[in-house]
Amino acid sequence: MKQNIGSIRPLIRFIFDKGVRRVRVLSLSPTGRAKTKFGKIELSQLEKAKLNSELLKIHRDFPIELRVGFCTSQNFKGLKILEEHEKCSAAEQRIHIDTFGNVFPCTASSGRAVFSAGNLQMDENNLSSLWKFSPLLQFFRDFHENPPKKCATCEKHSTCMSGCRVRMSFDHGDVTIADPACKGPYRITS
């Protein structure tokens, strides 16, 4: 976020000196304490580009493994993607359960009521039934298999997945749209 963008290199040096050799870089999500002030603390596109350049330099300067997950890979090109995070696996291979038993499709969606799949502390809910029958989790699975028309024939869809559903909801108020910033559909020509 804006408040700590200049601290990345000193932080990496500090943790490297403490023996850390593997770091996961995460993009800020409009959830938790960041939700109410997200627009003020999120990095601009220019700041993201500068940070990406700095992260690539850090990766060259330190024998430390910097990895990103699916959502973060959208902003930070050139860093290696964590194994099994090459695409959005929300509600397919993973979910997020907060400390109150609320179930969300992914960590980025945690705390946003619109993304609640249910609560495990409710008598009628258990993880198995939520996993199988939650309309929200089913929506995510269906969306991944049946993307918006714009993305259906795009050869890059498997890596962008029409953008992050959390970001589409936050930025555009619609979880069903393709990322409007995308200029696709793209076709790979030989």
Side-chain angles (χ1 to χ4, degrees):
M1 61 186 152
K2 290 183 184 294
Q3 289 86 335
N4 64 7
I5 189 172
S7 304
I8 299 301
R9 181 172 284 272
L11 174 64
I12 295 294
R13 176 176 296 285
F14 174 77
I15 63 174
F16 180 78
D17 290 346
K18 297 292 182 193
V20 173
R21 297 297 180 263
R22 191 179 300 166
V23 174
R24 179 175 179 188
V25 178
L26 294 171
S27 292
L28 184 66
S29 293
T31 58
R33 292 183 299 164
K35 184 169 50 175
T36 57
K37 50 189 168 190
F38 190 73
K40 295 177 183 174
I41 62 176
E42 180 190 28
L43 299 178
S44 68
Q45 290 296 57
L46 180 60
E47 289 168 323
K48 288 176 186 176
K50 286 180 180 179
L51 178 57
N52 188 55
S53 178
E54 179 64 10
L55 288 169
L56 292 171
K57 288 177 191 171
I58 288 169
H59 187 63
R60 285 190 299 267
D61 296 346
F62 292 94
I64 195 165
E65 185 179 309
L66 297 176
R67 298 280 176 130
V68 293
F70 167 73
C71 290
T72 305
S73 72
Q74 305 293 300
N75 293 315
F76 299 104
K77 307 291 183 196
L79 293 175
K80 290 185 179 181
I81 297 176
L82 286 163
E83 188 175 321
E84 297 186 18
H85 287 260
E86 297 85 3
K87 68 179 198 103
C88 178
S89 296
E92 289 182 27
Q93 294 179 346
R94 58 185 53 97
I95 55 172
H96 178 84
I97 303 170
D98 72 11
T99 56
F100 303 104
N102 297 305
V103 178
F104 299 94
C106 64
T107 304
S109 63
S110 177
R112 296 188 59 87
V114 69
F115 288 106
S116 175
N119 184 290
L120 296 176
Q121 295 180 2
M122 305 291 258
D123 288 337
E124 70 276 5
N125 289 333
N126 65 54
L127 188 54
S128 179
S129 66
L130 286 176
W131 181 260
K132 291 176 188 172
F133 304 115
S134 163
L136 179 75
L137 300 181
Q138 289 177 356
F139 161 78
F140 267 78
R141 294 174 194 130
D142 185 59
F143 185 88
H144 291 158
E145 290 296 317
N146 303 292
K149 192 177 212 179
K150 169 184 175 180
C151 305
T153 59
C154 182
E155 294 193 15
K156 291 188 176 186
H157 182 262
S158 64
T159 57
C160 81
M161 304 291 290
S162 304
C164 173
R165 298 301 88 214
V166 175
R167 287 308 304 253
M168 294 307 104
S169 172
F170 183 80
D171 293 344
H172 307 287
D174 188 347
V175 297
T176 66
I177 63 171
D179 186 349
C182 179
K183 305 297 183 217
Y186 294 98
R187 305 225 185 310
I188 298 173
T189 57
S190 24

